[in-house]
Amino acid sequence: MPAFPLSLHVSDLAATRDFYGRVLGCTEAACAPDWVDFDFFGHQLSLHRGAPGGDSGAGTVDGQAVPMPHFGVVMAMPEWRALAERL
C-alpha cells in the first residue's frame, strides 16, 4: 500500500514527540525546529508547531509556506504524470 501523508498543527512539539515516539513507538523520520515527521505505521505524519485550527493556516518547510492541515498521496512519477494528464 502506498504511503499516505497527513500534515497537522500541534501546540507542543516536545509533547508530540513524546506521544508519537515513546508512547506509540513511531520512528521520527525528519525534523526542523518547527516540525517533525513520523513514520506512522507506514504512513507519513508531519506535525508542525502552531495553533491547531488557528489563523496561521500554514506551516513552514524549507522556508516555504505549506497549507495546514493537508493530506496527499505518494506515487511514482509515471503514475503522477498519468494522473496529471487525466486531470
Side-chain angles (χ1 to χ4, degrees):
M1 175 192 295
F4 185 88
L6 174 63
S7 296
L8 303 169
H9 274 132
V10 296
S11 57
D12 185 327
L13 211 51
T16 297
R17 278 190 155 110
D18 181 61
F19 177 75
Y20 286 96
R22 184 184 62 79
V23 176
L24 293 183
C26 297
T27 302
E28 193 170 311
C31 68
D34 291 323
W35 57 268
V36 60
D37 286 351
F38 283 97
D39 177 343
F40 188 70
F41 307 97
H43 300 282
Q44 178 185 337
L45 184 59
S46 185
L47 302 162
H48 296 247
R49 183 177 21 226
D55 294 333
S56 68
T60 304
V61 177
D62 296 330
Q64 299 293 317
V66 177
M68 300 293 280
H70 74 265
F71 65 94
V73 296
V74 175
M75 59 178 59
M77 283 307 294
E79 292 173 287
W80 171 251
R81 288 184 186 105
L83 175 61
E85 187 65 32
R86 283 197 316 271
L87 295 174

